[in-house]
Amino acid sequence: SYFLRHARSRNYVSESEACKLESVPLDFGDYHPLKPITVTESKTKKMNRKGSTSSTSSSSSSSMMDPLSSVLDGTDPLSLFAAAADPVTTAAPTDGARRKRDKDESSAVGSDFEPWSSKRGEILARYTTTEKLSINLYMGSEKGKATTTGSAVSEKVRTRLEELDDLEEGSQKELLNLTQQDYMNRIEELNQSLKDAWSSDQKVKALKIVIQCSKLLSDTTVIQFYPSKFVLITDILDTFGKLVYERILSMCMDNRVSLPDNFSPESVNDTAKETCLNWFFKIASIRELIPRFYVEAAILKCNKFLSKTGISECLPRLTSMIRGIGDPLVAVYARAYLCRVGMEVAPQLKESLNKNFFDFLLTFKQIHGDMVQNQLVVQCVEIPLYLTLYSPAIDWILQCIAYHAPDVLLTEMMERCKKLGNNALLLNSVMSAFRAEFIAARSMDFIAMIKECDESGFPKHLLFRSLGLNLALADPPENDRLQILNEAWKVITKLKNPQDYINCAEVWVEYTCKHFTKREVNTVLADVIKHMTPDRAFEDAYPQLQSIIQKVITYIYDFALLFSVEKFLPFLDMFQKESVRVEVCKCIMESFIKHQQESTKDPVILNALLHICKTMHDSVNALTLEDEKRMLAALINGFIKMVSFGRDFEQQLSFYVEARSMFCNLEPVLVQLIHSVNQLAMETRRVMKGNHSRKTAAFVRACVAFCFITIPSLSSIFTRLNLYLHSGQVALANQCLSQADAFFKAAVSLVPEVPKMISVDGKMRPSDAFLLEFLCNFFSTLLVVPDHPEQGVLFLVRGLLNVIQDYTWEDNSDDKVRIYTNVLHLLSAMTQEAYICHVDKVDSNDALYGGDSKFLAEINKLSETVVSQILDHLKTLGKEETLKRQSQLALYFFNTILAHGDLRNNRLNQLSVNLWNLAQKHGFADTKTMVKTLEYIKRRGKQPEMSHFTDLALRLPLQSRT
């Protein structure tokens, strides 16, 4: 009991003043922290880090300098390492080398060129078949394996010639009736066989596999699968070309140093050149045109080993070879492969690529010839489907030609296409491959060309779709914009097939949103609803409909304007599938949170977004993942925070009440609503400046009631505890004393329910640390809470202490005693004449009791119980395994007495000395901490009326750990 009878009397105002930093007047002069630094340079060659950085030199730099760089004398250690590791790069390149490098960089294909690899997957997915396929496989013989040691060269040559003859002698096996997947598996097996043959030094076998695969490209029996077959076979050709190139390159290594990237033929040794020529001679002896063309194109890059002009001479010859291919589909894919290889090895040789395309234009009319028509009749393939088979090849050829091409060349090519009849296919590829800016600037010309196209061939809606894709990327002339939309929509709206319609409409919605008002957007949305509602066609078009919504909210992010678009909400009703509908709602809410700058009370926006949030909320069920719940709750909370009715606080509370009933399954939303209502109560207090009228007093009580009945519905116990405390503080601030008591009582009664382990971020953790933090906050609040006239002195503190006493703490935990020590801080503060803090217009116990002796006697009884509990616990820690905990707690209690006790009292002084000695008794005290604590006591002893601290310091010995 002597602890609080002799609690130190505190004057909080004077203590606060004493703790403030001393203010020293400073004459800034010309100094300003944001002003550029003027660094004075020293005349010495190197600056000493430890020496002064000032200099008597008069030369100063007014420009910004980095003081760290100046210490390094202009050198960077990392740069020095790099220079030492690679002396070649530090040498200044000659002008000729620099010019050559710049030329190479300008001729190389940049990152803005879409590579073939990005188109591969799309082609394989688009061009499929259910028909049966056949494939000819090469059956390798044992002759091709490595010859025995000592065999003559002539024997080796004879063996290889026999192997090549095998191909003519029927060493093949035809596999029939393969499904598409089986066919793809067989091709992959061939690719692997090629690699295996190469790695086992069976080069002739590898060549045979490649020739056999190339032959497959002349087969168009299942014509709709041809583009995918081309992709699969050319993968093998690419592998072969890479193996041959790397093999010859490895033969050029001199002393384990490989050739540089830009090597010249002169630096290639004779052995490598001979091997390279041997490959070209082997390929030249292939009798059939198509395999000979493809295999030579695959190793086109190897011409670099023979001569500087090898590639530029070969490209025109290979281009001319294609003229011998009779089937226009096979020929156009051969041209595509040549362009593909040409762009990889010599992108600067555009003339050959252009010649390739103009050759194609000359033979374009073959597409509509009798041979093709007869073939299509046999295979039961319609002309529109057949023409789409050309698109990947022509798109690629045009992309290669159009890359960094001048407008003059593009215009010339466009004019040539215009002169051809039935040119819809070409026109579509031109719009796919040419720069969007070029197409957009000539939009009306393209529309005129589309109109002239024959509808029976390539569908016009695909042409308008391609045009729309360009106009989404680049803007057409302003005067033409409305006419372009009208011309396009005339065609689109007449489409009967819902899938064709939605594929086109999806593209043109973006153009409409980008350049027109809500009236036009509304018209387009209405048209989409009209086309997609019959027979529930929308069920097959959810991805396109989602894309339309995404585009609309991308361009119309003013939600007042968006919801004034009459057909927007009916458009949302087409999303009948729940998972899709929720995704769309999430997109809309993300856009709202991202773009809504100011709070809103617009009833149109509120009703629409409440409906959307309700849709998201109702999708939550027992199987919903926690991450998904968190995301939905965050979006709904973002919306709730953006709603404000200004000074109409009652309307604001009504909105929160409605939101609570709508979103009761998402706990984070309920938590946000409680915080929002508490904020509303405090805003009311701020407006009334703390002087509530009868009306506002009733309103804040309604806010408090909202929180009180909502908190119990939450599942997380610490969320409930903290909200009870927070809401109680709000009630207290608004002079709702009985309501505040109710909150605090609820918190006290909830403490026993705290489990030993709680889930934190999906992991189970002990709850002690969280409970300790909460109780410390709770005790701090209880200082200003006035006693209830009918409940007795400190009824809340007593109730909480009883709960703490009965709570089952962990055996190895000292949290209970740490809480008791913190209770002593509270009780010490309660004995002061004036408390350290108050709630405005609420009388705390210092005013209610006025330092009454009975009140102080009650506090002393309470403190006696607490101190005895602490000392008893310290005694129980006397065992060897708990001595370290005893030392820490003794020092913790010592510091409490130091801060809050009146050490002029002999008994209290002696207790503090005993605790100090106990902390050091078994050598577990941290010497550094003890030294600093003793220094603090000595400093306090030098202050006025604090001489007893000096006497205390003399009684506190420092013991060494030994």
Side-chain angles (χ1 to χ4, degrees), residues 142-348:
E142 294 301 311
K143 297 174 190 173
K145 296 200 174 169
T147 55
T148 55
T149 311
S151 59
V153 175
S154 58
E155 180 65 28
K156 188 174 180 181
V157 171
R158 192 182 306 115
T159 305
R160 290 201 169 175
L161 288 170
E162 286 173 3
E163 280 187 330
L164 284 169
D165 288 341
D166 269 353
L167 201 55
E168 307 301 323
E169 293 169 7
S171 60
Q172 306 171 45
K173 178 183 176 184
E174 186 174 17
L175 298 177
L176 302 170
N177 296 324
L178 298 176
T179 64
Q180 180 182 319
Q181 189 57 50
D182 291 338
Y183 188 91
M184 293 170 76
N185 292 341
R186 293 295 181 186
I187 295 290
E188 183 54 42
E189 285 173 19
L190 281 174
N191 202 355
Q192 191 56 47
S193 298
L194 168 65
K195 294 174 185 174
D196 293 343
W198 192 272
S199 60
S200 60
D201 205 30
Q202 298 182 63
K203 305 293 188 293
V204 174
K205 181 181 177 182
L207 179 59
K208 284 183 176 182
I209 291 171
V210 175
I211 293 170
Q212 205 60 43
C213 290
S214 304
K215 281 185 174 184
L216 296 173
L217 290 172
S218 61
D219 174 26
T220 56
T221 48
V222 183
I223 204 162
Q224 61 267 39
F225 184 64
Y226 191 83
S228 290
K229 185 200 287 188
F230 170 80
V231 168
L232 296 169
I233 301 296
T234 52
D235 282 352
I236 295 177
L237 288 164
D238 291 343
T239 302
F240 177 71
K242 187 177 178 184
L243 290 170
V244 173
Y245 182 82
E246 287 175 353
R247 163 75 176 146
I248 300 170
L249 188 64
S250 67
M251 297 171 75
C252 301
M253 287 183 68
D254 186 21
N255 295 327
R256 296 189 177 183
V257 177
S258 60
L259 290 175
D261 289 340
N262 296 321
F263 65 86
S264 64
E266 290 77 22
S267 57
V268 179
N269 59 47
D270 290 343
T271 309
K273 283 185 177 179
E274 188 179 341
T275 305
C276 186
L277 276 169
N278 190 26
W279 275 110
F280 280 111
F281 290 152
K282 281 178 185 173
I283 291 163
S285 67
I286 298 171
R287 296 172 190 170
E288 294 183 37
L289 172 61
I290 289 176
R292 186 167 74 249
F293 164 79
Y294 272 108
V295 179
E296 184 174 352
I299 66 164
L300 181 66
K301 190 176 181 181
C302 294
N303 279 284
K304 288 172 67 177
F305 297 109
L306 301 176
S307 71
K308 288 183 179 177
T309 57
I311 293 173
S312 60
E313 289 168 0
C314 277
L315 276 173
R317 180 171 55 78
L318 290 169
T319 301
S320 300
M321 282 172 68
I322 298 172
R323 294 175 183 173
I325 300 174
D327 190 315
L329 184 65
V330 177
V332 78
Y333 275 93
R335 294 184 191 282
Y337 187 66
L338 189 58
C339 283
R340 185 168 130 198
V341 175
M343 284 300 282
E344 283 177 18
V345 301
Q348 72 276 15

Side-chain angles (χ1 to χ4, degrees), residues 573-591:
D573 292 337
M574 285 197 291
F575 295 98
Q576 301 282 312
K577 188 178 177 183
E578 186 182 62
S579 59
V580 181
R581 189 166 71 245
V582 171
E583 283 302 315
V584 171
C585 291
K586 279 157 69 175
C587 280
I588 294 169
M589 292 311 301
E590 282 167 5
S591 177

Side-chain angles (χ1 to χ4, degrees), residues 597-751:
Q597 300 296 325
E598 297 176 353
S599 53
T600 182
K601 61 177 181 179
D602 186 324
V604 175
I605 294 178
L606 296 190
N607 288 333
L609 291 184
L610 274 173
H611 170 70
I612 288 168
C613 289
K614 177 70 172 162
T615 301
M616 294 194 301
H617 169 270
D618 292 349
S619 71
V620 174
N621 55 42
L623 300 177
T624 307
L625 297 173
E626 286 302 317
D627 281 350
E628 178 71 6
K629 287 183 186 177
R630 265 196 295 272
M631 180 187 284
L632 295 177
L635 293 172
I636 295 171
N637 284 345
F639 163 60
I640 289 170
K641 289 175 189 173
M642 293 305 296
V643 177
S644 172
F645 290 89
R647 287 291 184 88
D648 191 350
F649 292 162
E650 290 182 352
Q651 184 67 37
Q652 188 83 34
L653 183 60
S654 299
F655 169 77
Y656 291 143
V657 170
E658 184 184 359
R660 180 178 63 184
S661 66
M662 293 176 80
F663 309 127
C664 55
N665 289 335
L666 287 172
E667 191 160 303
V669 178
L670 295 178
V671 172
Q672 177 60 46
L673 288 170
I674 292 167
H675 283 308
S676 296
V677 170
N678 278 330
Q679 194 176 349
L680 187 62
M682 293 307 289
E683 183 65 14
T684 308
R685 178 181 180 275
R686 187 187 65 78
V687 169
M688 299 302 294
K689 297 179 181 175
N691 298 311
H692 283 299
S693 64
R694 183 178 295 178
K695 185 178 179 181
T696 59
F699 175 75
V700 293
R701 283 197 294 273
C703 291
V704 168
F706 174 99
C707 298
F708 192 74
I709 62 175
T710 308
I711 293 172
S713 64
L714 304 176
S715 62
S716 168
I717 193 158
F718 278 103
T719 303
R720 275 186 281 161
L721 283 170
N722 286 311
L723 284 174
Y724 274 134
L725 180 57
H726 183 215
S727 302
Q729 291 166 347
V730 170
L732 198 61
N734 283 285
Q735 299 126 52
C736 302
L737 301 184
S738 59
Q739 287 85 349
D741 281 349
F743 278 117
F744 297 139
K745 282 180 185 175
V748 170
S749 63
L750 194 59
V751 169

Side-chain angles (χ1 to χ4, degrees), residues 418-526:
K418 198 185 287 188
K419 290 174 185 174
L420 293 169
N422 291 333
N423 64 350
L425 170 64
L426 269 178
L427 196 57
N428 189 61
S429 292
V430 164
M431 289 190 287
S432 299
F434 283 16
R435 289 191 297 274
E437 294 79 9
F438 179 88
I439 305 293
R442 297 161 181 78
S443 299
M444 292 309 297
D445 292 343
F446 277 97
I447 285 176
M449 290 163 68
I450 291 170
K451 282 181 174 179
E452 291 170 11
C453 288
D454 181 11
E455 183 66 49
S456 63
F458 199 87
K460 280 188 183 178
H461 68 86
L462 291 182
L463 297 174
F464 274 108
R465 186 176 190 279
S466 297
L467 180 61
L469 287 169
N470 280 287
L471 296 180
L473 298 171
D475 299 337
E478 195 167 343
N479 296 334
D480 296 339
R481 288 175 185 173
L482 184 59
Q483 190 179 352
I484 291 168
L485 179 62
N486 288 335
E487 293 290 347
W489 210 260
K490 273 182 204 170
V491 175
I492 296 168
T493 196
K494 288 177 184 173
L495 293 172
K496 302 289 184 223
N497 184 314
Q499 206 60 42
D500 291 343
Y501 171 83
I502 198 64
N503 285 337
C504 246
E506 174 204 352
V507 172
W508 282 88
V509 162
E510 183 166 3
Y511 174 78
T512 311
C513 295
K514 198 174 180 182
H515 298 297
F516 298 98
T517 63
K518 70 169 189 177
R519 188 170 70 88
E520 287 81 7
V521 174
N522 192 56
T523 305
V524 169
L525 293 181

Side-chain angles (χ1 to χ4, degrees), residues 112 129 137 269 296 328 350 429 458 474 507 516 575 610 679 767 777 784 789-790 799 881 886 946 957:
D112 55 340
T129 183
L137 285 180
N269 59 47
E296 184 174 352
K350 282 289 185 71
S429 292
F458 199 87
V507 172
F516 298 98
F575 295 98
L610 274 173
Q679 194 176 349
S767 62
N777 288 338
V784 295
E790 297 172 5
E881 63 271 15
Q886 185 189 58
M946 292 289 181

